[in-house]
Amino acid sequence: MGVLSNKISREELKPGDHIYSWRTAHLYAHHGIYIGEEKVIHFTRGAGQEIGTGTVLDRIIVSSSPSHSTGNPCPRCGDQARLDGVISSCIDCFLAEGDLYLFQYSVSPVIFLAKARGGTCTLAASDPPADVIHRASFLLQNGFGDYHIFRNNCEDFAIYCKTGLLVFTSISVGRSGQAASFLAAASAVVSSPLRFLTTSFSGLAVVGCAMYCASRIVSDIGVRRDVTKVPVERLVAGSSIDES
């Protein structure tokens, strides 16, 4: 696994790993927790409902497991395409013919920024594998609230399982690095007052890159101040995730 790629082989997998696989021409990734015996626990929304807009975007953003033909379901999972919530799938169904990648924890700021694509690593530290598997297994039985593409998605689920951290404010995005990167990019393009300091293309590129990097850093779960550690039992027994 190099600096710019988190791709690994299946032989390198360990229970408690946070893994992901790119979907739809690398536009985004689907995340889950590997629990051993070729099983992955992940958070989904039924096929065609990922965004819930009723538009073509719902056909592009696909977090669910792949569908199989009626006469040829997965021998281990069946057809899970219409399921939503926290589910357990075999690793083949989770990957959906994509490659396997390992999400990294406790990376340095330099490595974090070198991996310019969000949703691949975090500055935050992971808890021990036993705690990670306990949270994922508990949420498999009890759910993880309502799926939301920006505030409570598959990456948010996996990061919570690894760290136990939840965002307690209601005005910011969740723990997802993918969502944070999308908003950081949008902010760098249209919202930065610093873009008026230069009119050259190179100057605009430098300003935009600086804003993008700064936004990613301050949005990372490892440095944010609006997070708190919540035991999974209290999470499930309490109010909604957004209110935790």
Side-chain angles (χ1 to χ4, degrees), residues 76-148:
R76 288 176 286 182
C77 304
D79 186 355
Q80 296 184 319
R82 309 308 300 186
L83 298 181
D84 57 12
V86 182
I87 66 173
S88 175
S89 303
C90 71
I91 193 166
D92 290 321
C93 283
F94 172 81
L95 293 176
E97 300 183 352
D99 292 324
L100 173 63
Y101 296 84
L102 178 68
F103 193 98
Q104 292 180 286
Y105 287 80
S106 298
V107 301
S108 69
V110 172
I111 296 297
F112 182 84
L113 293 177
K115 294 179 182 292
R117 187 73 178 268
T120 62
C121 62
T122 178
L123 303 170
S126 170
D127 288 333
D131 293 343
V132 177
I133 294 172
H134 169 68
R135 292 187 188 113
S137 299
F138 193 87
L139 295 173
L140 177 62
Q141 300 299 321
N142 295 278
F144 192 62
D146 295 328
Y147 187 101
H148 189 285

Side-chain angles (χ1 to χ4, degrees), residues 23-25 27-28 48-51 55-63 149:
R23 299 282 204 266
T24 314
L27 289 177
Y28 66 99
Q49 305 175 47
E50 280 74 14
I51 299 180
T55 69
V56 69
L57 291 176
D58 292 324
R59 300 178 183 177
I60 298 175
I61 307 297
V62 180
S63 68
I149 192 168

Side-chain angles (χ1 to χ4, degrees), residues 135-191:
R135 292 187 188 113
S137 299
F138 193 87
L139 295 173
L140 177 62
Q141 300 299 321
N142 295 278
F144 192 62
D146 295 328
Y147 187 101
H148 189 285
I149 192 168
F150 286 115
R151 291 191 53 80
N152 199 47
N153 58 37
C154 59
E155 186 183 346
D156 293 313
F157 167 80
I159 290 176
Y160 171 73
C161 289
K162 290 287 284 187
T163 67
L165 297 174
L166 288 178
V167 176
F168 59 79
T169 58
S170 59
I171 59 174
S172 55
V173 296
R175 300 160 296 285
S176 170
Q178 293 184 96
S181 289
F182 174 82
L183 295 178
S187 176
V189 171
V190 302
S191 301

